[in-house]
mmCIF file of all heavy atoms in Angstrom:
data_model
loop_
_atom_site.group_PDB
_atom_site.id
_atom_site.type_symbol
_atom_site.label_atom_id
_atom_site.label_comp_id
_atom_site.label_asym_id
_atom_site.label_seq_id
_atom_site.Cartn_x
_atom_site.Cartn_y
_atom_site.Cartn_z
ATOM 1 N N ARG A 28 -27.543 5.630 -11.763
ATOM 2 C CA ARG A 28 -28.314 4.410 -11.575
ATOM 3 C C ARG A 28 -28.064 3.827 -10.183
ATOM 4 O O ARG A 28 -28.953 3.306 -9.530
ATOM 5 C CB ARG A 28 -27.923 3.391 -12.639
ATOM 6 C CG ARG A 28 -29.130 2.907 -13.415
ATOM 7 C CD ARG A 28 -28.705 2.033 -14.564
ATOM 8 N NE ARG A 28 -28.043 2.785 -15.608
ATOM 9 C CZ ARG A 28 -27.159 2.251 -16.459
ATOM 10 N NH1 ARG A 28 -26.813 0.986 -16.355
ATOM 11 N NH2 ARG A 28 -26.617 2.970 -17.402
ATOM 12 N N VAL A 172 -4.474 4.953 -5.232
ATOM 13 C CA VAL A 172 -5.175 3.926 -4.480
ATOM 14 C C VAL A 172 -4.181 2.927 -3.890
ATOM 15 O O VAL A 172 -4.499 2.202 -2.958
ATOM 16 C CB VAL A 172 -6.232 3.265 -5.393
ATOM 17 C CG1 VAL A 172 -5.654 2.173 -6.216
ATOM 18 C CG2 VAL A 172 -7.418 2.809 -4.601
ATOM 19 N N ARG A 187 -13.086 4.251 -10.627
ATOM 20 C CA ARG A 187 -11.918 4.837 -11.273
ATOM 21 C C ARG A 187 -12.368 6.046 -12.076
ATOM 22 O O ARG A 187 -13.312 5.974 -12.842
ATOM 23 C CB ARG A 187 -11.276 3.809 -12.196
ATOM 24 C CG ARG A 187 -10.063 4.323 -12.933
ATOM 25 C CD ARG A 187 -9.363 3.169 -13.622
ATOM 26 N NE ARG A 187 -10.227 2.558 -14.624
ATOM 27 C CZ ARG A 187 -10.260 2.937 -15.897
ATOM 28 N NH1 ARG A 187 -9.511 3.912 -16.311
ATOM 29 N NH2 ARG A 187 -11.055 2.326 -16.752
ATOM 30 N N ARG A 225 -3.957 16.600 -19.843
ATOM 31 C CA ARG A 225 -5.224 15.916 -19.533
ATOM 32 C C ARG A 225 -5.764 16.276 -18.150
ATOM 33 O O ARG A 225 -6.483 15.490 -17.538
ATOM 34 C CB ARG A 225 -5.046 14.398 -19.639
ATOM 35 C CG ARG A 225 -4.614 13.977 -21.040
ATOM 36 C CD ARG A 225 -4.344 12.506 -21.125
ATOM 37 N NE ARG A 225 -5.536 11.721 -20.861
ATOM 38 C CZ ARG A 225 -5.508 10.400 -20.703
ATOM 39 N NH1 ARG A 225 -4.387 9.751 -20.759
ATOM 40 N NH2 ARG A 225 -6.605 9.742 -20.474
ATOM 41 N N LYS A 312 19.055 7.982 -20.061
ATOM 42 C CA LYS A 312 17.670 7.984 -19.562
ATOM 43 C C LYS A 312 17.447 6.841 -18.583
ATOM 44 O O LYS A 312 16.780 6.993 -17.569
ATOM 45 C CB LYS A 312 16.704 7.849 -20.729
ATOM 46 C CG LYS A 312 16.525 9.157 -21.462
ATOM 47 C CD LYS A 312 15.564 9.025 -22.595
ATOM 48 C CE LYS A 312 15.592 10.316 -23.388
ATOM 49 N NZ LYS A 312 14.844 10.230 -24.627
ATOM 50 N N PHE B 220 -23.555 -1.009 -12.689
ATOM 51 C CA PHE B 220 -24.065 -0.937 -14.047
ATOM 52 C C PHE B 220 -25.580 -1.083 -14.088
ATOM 53 O O PHE B 220 -26.202 -0.837 -15.114
ATOM 54 C CB PHE B 220 -23.375 -1.975 -14.927
ATOM 55 C CG PHE B 220 -21.916 -1.697 -15.080
ATOM 56 C CD1 PHE B 220 -20.979 -2.432 -14.386
ATOM 57 C CD2 PHE B 220 -21.483 -0.653 -15.873
ATOM 58 C CE1 PHE B 220 -19.632 -2.151 -14.492
ATOM 59 C CE2 PHE B 220 -20.140 -0.359 -15.984
ATOM 60 C CZ PHE B 220 -19.214 -1.105 -15.292
ATOM 61 N N ASP B 255 11.331 5.569 -24.592
ATOM 62 C CA ASP B 255 10.487 6.762 -24.526
ATOM 63 C C ASP B 255 9.022 6.437 -24.745
ATOM 64 O O ASP B 255 8.148 6.931 -24.033
ATOM 65 C CB ASP B 255 10.937 7.785 -25.576
ATOM 66 C CG ASP B 255 12.201 8.493 -25.126
ATOM 67 O OD1 ASP B 255 12.390 8.587 -23.901
ATOM 68 O OD2 ASP B 255 12.974 8.923 -25.987
ATOM 69 N N ARG B 266 -2.544 8.143 -16.092
ATOM 70 C CA ARG B 266 -3.517 9.229 -16.194
ATOM 71 C C ARG B 266 -4.940 8.716 -16.357
ATOM 72 O O ARG B 266 -5.895 9.396 -16.017
ATOM 73 C CB ARG B 266 -3.161 10.142 -17.359
ATOM 74 C CG ARG B 266 -1.974 10.978 -17.034
ATOM 75 C CD ARG B 266 -1.887 12.232 -17.814
ATOM 76 N NE ARG B 266 -0.621 12.871 -17.517
ATOM 77 C CZ ARG B 266 -0.431 13.690 -16.513
ATOM 78 N NH1 ARG B 266 -1.416 13.988 -15.699
ATOM 79 N NH2 ARG B 266 0.743 14.216 -16.291
ATOM 80 N N ASP B 267 -5.042 7.499 -16.901
ATOM 81 C CA ASP B 267 -6.375 6.898 -16.984
ATOM 82 C C ASP B 267 -6.851 6.456 -15.609
ATOM 83 O O ASP B 267 -7.953 5.932 -15.472
ATOM 84 C CB ASP B 267 -6.362 5.710 -17.938
ATOM 85 C CG ASP B 267 -6.491 6.169 -19.377
ATOM 86 O OD1 ASP B 267 -7.006 7.280 -19.589
ATOM 87 O OD2 ASP B 267 -6.079 5.434 -20.288
ATOM 88 N N PRO B 270 -4.323 2.218 -10.776
ATOM 89 C CA PRO B 270 -3.385 2.280 -9.660
ATOM 90 C C PRO B 270 -2.042 1.672 -10.024
ATOM 91 O O PRO B 270 -1.984 0.675 -10.748
ATOM 92 C CB PRO B 270 -4.068 1.457 -8.568
ATOM 93 C CG PRO B 270 -5.319 0.932 -9.122
ATOM 94 C CD PRO B 270 -5.454 1.333 -10.534
#
Side-chain angles (χ1 to χ4, degrees):
Chain A
R28 235 173 290 154
V172 85
R187 179 170 63 91
R225 300 176 63 189
K312 282 181 188 171
Chain B
F220 295 104
D255 284 333
R266 287 204 186 273
D267 278 337

